[in-house]
Amino acid sequence: MDQPSLEYFVEIARKLNISKAAESLHISQQSLSAYVQKLEKHYGTVLFTRKPRLKLTEAGERVLLAAEEIERIHQELEEDLTRLSIGEETRLSLAIFEPTISPVMQNLPIVEIGKKYPHVAFSITTGYNQTVLSLIQEGRADLAVVGTADMDPKLLEDMEQVELSYDEDCILITEDVMRLYFVDEYDKYVERFSGGVDLLDLAHIPIAMHPMESGISKKIRNYFMENHQTFKVFGEGSTQDIVNSMVLQNNAYGVCTRTAAEALMAKSGAERLHIFPLERPRLERRLVLLYRKNDSRREALADIAAMFEAKWKGLPEPPQLDLEE
C-alpha cells in the first residue's frame, strides 16, 4: 500500500475539525473522512478520537511531529533549490525610475537578500519611466521600480507588480508668496485652499515644475489647455529637491507629494510653508516593483520582490518619494 500524503493530516490536526479542514483544503468532508480512515489503516492505529470532540491520540501526536518535520525539510529543500536556480555569483539587474533613486536605494532589502542569496549581486541602472519599462520588457533588467502615474495599464500586462508606496500630490507654497499674490485676501484664500486647490486659481503665480516631458507636468499642462488657460513656469527641476528649493527661495509654488511636503515642512518650519490639498487635477502616484511573468527565474524574483515589499511595508512611515514620470 502506498503511503498517503500527510498534508491533509496536518491540516486536520491543526484545526481539529473535519468540516473546517475540508473547507480549507477545498475537498468534501466525506473525502477527508475517507482519507483519515485510509491513513489509520496504513499506520495500523487510531490517530484521532472522535467523541466528545475530535482529538489527537498519542499516536496522532507523534505522526503530527513527524509530519511537521517533513514539512520543514520540504520547505528548506524548496529554498535550497530556489537559491540553486539563481546560481552562483549571479548578477541581477535592477532598473530604477530616476527621481526615486534616493528612497529606493535607502530602502533596498540588502541584508535580507544577502542572507538568503549570498552569491547574488545587483547592477543598478536608472532612467525615466519609459526607459526603465523598456529595459525590463526587453529582458535587459530583471527587476524594475517605476512610478505608475498616468501609465497605460496595457504596458504592464506581462509584468508581476508589487506595490511599494502610494502618495497623493499637494500644493507647496510659502507664506511670502501667498501674501504677495493674495495681498488683501490672504486669510480668505488660506481658508479656501485648506479645503483643496484648483490649479486654475494659481494661474497668475509662477510654478516650479519637473521637465515638461515628465508625466505629472504633462497632466498639469493638459489640464490648463483643456480649460483654455495659460500658466507661468518659473523653472524646471529634474528632481523634487530642486523643485522644492525653487519654491523655498523664489516667488513660485510647486506640486509635491504629501510625504515629501510634510518632511520639508518639518525641516523648514511650519511658519514658512503652506501645504494645501490638490483638488484639480487629481494627481496620484504609485511606486511599484516589476518583474516579468515569463522569466525563467520567476520564483526567485518573486521571493526577492516579497523582501522589497516587506521592507517598505515595515517602514515607520512612507519614504519620501518623487514619482514624476
Side-chain angles (χ1 to χ4, degrees):
M1 177 181 177
D2 294 334
Q3 180 173 337
S5 166
L6 293 174
E7 179 183 355
Y8 287 0
F9 170 80
V10 171
E11 188 67 18
I12 300 169
R14 288 173 178 170
K15 286 191 166 50
L16 291 177
N17 185 297
I18 290 289
S19 62
K20 289 182 179 179
E23 182 179 354
S24 175
L25 295 168
H26 304 291
I27 64 174
S28 68
Q29 293 185 44
Q30 292 82 357
S31 296
L32 199 55
S33 295
Y35 160 82
V36 172
Q37 292 175 7
K38 180 179 179 181
L39 192 64
E40 290 180 327
K41 182 178 180 181
H42 174 80
Y43 286 116
T45 187
V46 176
L47 301 178
F48 296 95
T49 57
R50 274 67 171 174
K51 294 180 181 181
R53 59 184 178 82
L54 197 65
K55 184 179 178 181
L56 284 168
T57 63
E58 183 178 351
E61 294 279 4
R62 294 189 181 188
V63 173
L64 178 60
L65 286 174
E68 288 178 335
E69 180 65 14
I70 293 170
E71 188 178 66
R72 182 189 64 79
I73 292 171
H74 281 172
Q75 183 176 352
E76 289 182 354
L77 177 61
E78 288 179 1
E79 290 176 356
D80 285 341
L81 293 177
T82 299
R83 283 192 286 268
L84 184 62
S85 72
I86 282 193
E88 297 289 319
E89 303 297 337
T90 295
R91 183 171 294 276
L92 296 180
S93 174
L94 173 62
I96 304 174
F97 178 38
E98 190 162 335
T100 70
I101 185 70
S102 178
V104 172
M105 293 304 294
Q106 288 172 11
N107 297 291
L108 281 177
I110 294 298
V111 174
E112 295 83 352
I113 294 172
K115 285 181 178 179
K116 191 165 185 179
Y117 304 104
H119 302 294
V120 168
F122 279 97
S123 62
I124 307 294
T125 57
T126 65
Y128 276 85
N129 261 355
Q130 192 54 54
T131 300
V132 170
L133 196 57
S134 295
L135 287 173
I136 193 165
Q137 286 175 329
E138 296 166 9
R140 291 184 289 151
D142 303 296
L143 297 156
V145 177
V146 300
T148 61
D150 207 28
M151 183 180 286
D152 185 350
K154 291 183 179 179
L155 296 175
L156 306 177
E157 287 180 350
D158 296 329
M159 302 290 157
E160 296 288 358
Q161 302 179 49
V162 175
E163 183 168 308
L164 300 180
S165 187
Y166 167 86
D167 216 336
E168 296 181 350
D169 276 271
C170 59
I171 296 299
L172 189 67
I173 188 168
T174 64
E175 173 86 6
D176 291 341
V177 171
M178 281 294 295
R179 292 192 179 278
L180 177 64
Y181 286 93
F182 300 98
V183 182
D184 300 322
E185 298 180 297
Y186 168 80
D187 291 332
K188 169 187 172 182
Y189 277 94
V190 168
E191 181 178 358
R192 174 178 167 182
F193 290 164
S194 295
V197 175
D198 186 326
L199 282 187
L200 300 180
D201 293 331
L202 304 179
H204 61 300
I205 305 176
I207 180 173
M209 304 181 70
H210 286 269
M212 289 304 293
E213 65 269 18
S214 68
I216 296 296
S217 294
K218 286 179 180 177
K219 292 184 77 171
I220 292 173
R221 180 181 60 192
N222 291 340
Y223 180 68
F224 277 97
M225 290 177 62
E226 289 166 2
N227 288 277
H228 309 290
Q229 296 281 339
T230 59
F231 62 101
K232 302 176 182 180
V233 178
F234 176 85
E236 297 178 5
S238 58
T239 68
Q240 190 69 58
D241 287 341
I242 295 175
V243 172
N244 291 350
S245 178
M246 288 191 285
V247 170
L248 289 174
Q249 298 176 23
N250 301 281
N251 294 330
Y253 76 95
V255 174
C256 184
T257 64
R258 177 163 291 279
T259 301
E262 290 176 351
L264 185 65
M265 176 174 278
K267 181 179 179 180
S268 302
E271 71 280 357
R272 292 191 57 200
L273 285 172
H274 289 289
I275 300 176
F276 297 126
L278 180 57
E279 185 177 7
R280 287 188 294 272
R282 185 72 173 174
L283 304 178
E284 300 174 340
R285 314 191 202 191
R286 291 172 61 236
L287 187 68
V288 300
L289 179 71
L290 305 177
Y291 59 95
R292 294 182 302 282
K293 292 180 178 179
N294 61 353
D295 195 293
S296 60
R297 296 171 295 185
R298 184 174 179 276
E299 288 188 12
L301 293 176
D303 191 30
I304 291 173
M307 295 182 198
F308 271 82
E309 183 179 27
K311 178 82 171 184
W312 283 68
K313 299 302 182 188
L315 294 174
E317 59 184 36
Q320 180 172 336
L321 300 181
D322 173 16
L323 306 187
E324 271 298 326
E325 279 200 309

